[in-house]
Amino acid sequence: MQKRSNYHFTYPINIGELDLATMVSMYRSRGEPRKSMPGEYFCCALSHELLREGKFWFGLFYSQKVWDELITKGSEGYPLTEAEFIILGLVYSSEDEPPHREYVERHSRVVDKLSYLILNDLRGFGFLVEDESGYVRITPRGERALHGIARRMHGKRFLPEMIDHTPKPEVPKIEEAQRRHQDQGNLFI
């Protein structure tokens, strides 16, 4: 199903290049207010106005007004992206039994490190619950958040057709070349 709006938070396209410690640090500090150094300014990523203080999002800054506009109905202040939309949608649309955490992480279409952080955060915020076997269920709070971001992105409540269930592409493995001449002597003896 075609998206109608891109007016929501997004993760950087090259977030997979970050090491785990940097990704966790940036993920945990998203939404924190930051003040600029004396004599310097931030620029709001959407309104392009100069700011002395802005909310931090993976190297970008947003004014409080723009930040509040990006927060979707039902999210209770939680900044939702397309990745959270897919994760909540996968769990919500599982019909017979709840999906396993590994399945949801694999089909989230973001890098493994980030999908792990997102799932933990959604669970900690009360949008998802996970049983001791690793099966994930959506809560009523999670349903409200899912329908809110669906309305922002697609203009209506969530429908399973809104998400693609294909897993993220695997990173190709580079094979090591085999030596042709096994009997070649070592020149450094």
Side-chain angles (χ1 to χ4, degrees):
M1 186 173 266
Q2 190 71 20
K3 280 175 56 174
R4 294 179 65 199
S5 172
N6 286 320
Y7 196 68
H8 54 82
F9 293 100
T10 57
Y11 293 112
I13 58 172
N14 61 343
I15 195 166
E17 295 175 14
L18 297 176
D19 62 272
L20 182 59
T22 305
M23 185 183 296
V24 169
S25 174
M26 291 181 89
Y27 186 82
R28 293 291 172 226
S29 62
R30 70 198 194 290
E32 288 181 356
R34 297 219 178 141
K35 291 186 178 189
S36 63
M37 299 295 290
E40 294 181 8
Y41 292 88
F42 297 136
C43 182
C44 179
L46 289 179
S47 71
H48 303 290
E49 62 183 319
L50 292 174
L51 311 167
R52 289 222 182 257
E53 184 176 325
K55 293 239 180 168
F56 179 75
W57 179 269
F58 294 92
L60 299 175
F61 294 92
Y62 294 98
S63 68
Q64 184 66 52
K65 179 180 182 269
V66 169
W67 184 272
D68 293 342
E69 290 172 2
L70 287 171
I71 296 293
T72 54
K73 184 176 181 181
S75 71
E76 301 179 20
Y78 188 94
L80 296 172
T81 70
E82 191 167 3
E84 285 86 359
F85 170 73
I86 291 169
I87 289 170
L88 290 169
L90 283 170
V91 176
Y92 180 81
S93 63
S94 61
E95 297 168 3
D96 298 336
E97 66 177 59
H100 197 271
R101 179 188 180 104
E102 289 179 10
Y103 173 85
V104 175
E105 286 178 4
R106 191 171 52 250
H107 288 76
S108 66
R109 293 195 301 214
V110 292
V111 295
D112 294 338
K113 299 178 278 191
L114 183 58
S115 63
Y116 179 82
L117 289 172
I118 292 170
L119 262 160
N120 284 346
D121 222 31
L122 290 173
R123 194 182 68 200
F125 209 75
F127 291 153
L128 297 175
V129 291
E130 182 179 356
D131 66 17
E132 60 279 345
S133 301
Y135 291 97
V136 186
R137 290 179 177 79
I138 194 165
T139 66
R141 290 176 75 185
E143 287 183 31
R144 285 190 298 275
L146 174 62
H147 292 308
I149 187 73
R151 279 191 187 98
R152 173 70 56 90
M153 293 170 63
H154 296 280
K156 55 180 138 182
R157 288 174 58 93
F158 176 78
L159 298 170
E161 302 87 55
M162 292 178 180
I163 57 174
D164 182 14
H165 292 275
T166 58
K168 62 184 170 241
E170 293 292 324
V171 177
K173 300 213 187 305
I174 300 173
E175 293 183 28
E176 195 172 314
Q178 300 294 324
R179 286 185 170 180
R180 282 194 247 168
H181 304 288
Q182 299 294 340
D183 58 347
Q184 182 176 1
N186 188 348
L187 299 174
F188 300 102
I189 298 180

